[in-house]
Amino acid sequence: MELSTVKEITIPEGKVTKITDALGNVLWSAVGLPSAYQEVEWVQAAAGVGAYLNLGFSFDKAAFIEIGIYRDASTTSSQVFGAAENSGKLRCMISAPYTATGVGAFYGSTGSAFIERTYSMISGKNEFEYTLKKGEIKVKRKDSDTITSLTTQGEYTMTSDLLLLAQYYNGTPRFAGLRRVYYFKYYDKDNSLICDLVPCYRKADGVIGMYDVVRRTFLTNVGSGSFTKGADVNA
């Protein structure tokens, strides 16, 4: 049996959380990465490189997002995440930065027109929490109490898959600027964590991607070009 593909193991005593060999090496774990993958600090698509991930689900009424993203001072626009449809009127989308001065933008919609919530970014690593639900579109820095919000967010459901390290804009992927992601978590309208991505590479062949520890799935580049990665993270 190939343990790296196993999502859940149950025995009469209950669910298995970890399997080790006689030397104590972890062969499989229900939490974190399977042994077939090596965690890294980040995954990146350089400016002009069309590498990105398809998350396999769309925005449905509400979302809460946690993400670590990088602002490159030389990048004027970085299309990091999301989708837009209906001529751009419906959106769940992050551009970080949005301008050369380091202003980011988080996009929602009233249901008939898109909304833009802007916020400041620092050079290097940034960590944000984004909320999109009826009556609220909000951005919060994790390292401060700074919150920017609007109350005009509507309620709607989209059909376009959400992308990471790109944006699915009216049926076409777009990927301006350098895009680097340290981690990504997505909570749905019921506040359930449905996607928790860890940057990594597959040890067998060196393929770079992000492993979803919720769905136990390795997401790899579905665009053009290739990703680069940060240093290995040792447990």
Side-chain angles (χ1 to χ4, degrees):
M1 180 173 62
E2 176 54 58
L3 288 175
S4 66
T5 64
V6 175
K7 299 181 180 181
E8 184 177 288
I9 298 174
T10 301
I11 59 177
E13 290 77 13
K15 289 186 177 180
V16 176
T17 60
K18 185 185 296 184
I19 297 175
T20 60
D21 63 16
L23 298 176
N25 298 312
V26 177
L27 302 178
W28 180 87
S29 174
V31 179
L33 299 182
S35 60
Y37 302 93
Q38 172 61 52
E39 183 178 352
V40 294
E41 292 180 344
W42 45 260
V43 166
Q44 174 178 290
V49 174
Y52 63 91
L53 304 176
N54 187 322
L55 299 182
F57 56 85
S58 58
F59 173 75
D60 181 16
K61 295 183 180 178
F64 177 73
I65 299 163
E66 298 179 72
I67 189 171
I69 45 182
Y70 181 81
R71 180 200 161 199
D72 176 25
S74 65
T75 298
T76 58
S77 178
S78 178
Q79 295 164 340
V80 174
F81 160 82
E85 60 189 33
N86 193 14
S87 298
K89 295 176 182 177
L90 302 180
R91 300 188 183 194
C92 175
M93 202 165 70
I94 298 169
S95 293
Y98 172 61
T99 70
T101 57
V103 174
F106 181 41
Y107 297 92
S109 175
T110 63
S112 57
F114 76 84
I115 306 167
E116 177 186 280
R117 179 67 280 174
T118 58
Y119 51 93
S120 62
M121 300 183 68
I122 60 173
S123 294
K125 184 179 180 179
N126 292 257
E127 296 184 85
F128 291 105
E129 296 174 348
Y130 300 89
T131 301
L132 205 59
K133 63 182 181 180
K134 187 176 182 180
E136 183 178 42
I137 174 172
K138 181 172 71 176
V139 181
K140 180 184 183 303
R141 289 195 65 90
K142 281 195 170 185
D143 59 357
S144 76
D145 294 326
T146 302
I147 297 175
T148 58
S149 62
L150 290 171
T151 60
T152 52
Q153 174 67 14
E155 186 176 86
Y156 52 91
T157 296
M158 298 173 63
T159 59
S160 300
D161 283 347
L162 296 168
L163 305 182
L164 187 62
L165 299 160
Q167 296 168 346
Y168 205 30
Y169 193 84
N170 290 327
T172 302
R174 66 180 191 179
F175 34 78
L178 180 148
R179 294 95 63 208
R180 179 187 296 181
V181 173
Y182 296 85
Y183 62 86
F184 177 86
K185 296 182 180 182
Y186 187 98
Y187 298 77
D188 67 7
K189 61 185 177 183
D190 299 316
N191 202 32
S192 297
L193 179 63
I194 64 169
C195 181
D196 185 352
L197 298 182
V198 179
C200 63
Y201 61 89
R202 190 163 51 207
K203 295 176 182 178
D205 55 12
V207 171
I208 302 168
M210 299 186 79
Y211 192 88
D212 186 351
V213 298
V214 174
R215 293 177 289 177
R216 311 300 294 178
T217 302
F218 183 45
L219 302 183
T220 58
N221 177 24
V222 294
S224 59
S226 58
F227 294 132
T228 55
K229 59 180 175 62
D232 288 1
V233 174
N234 297 317

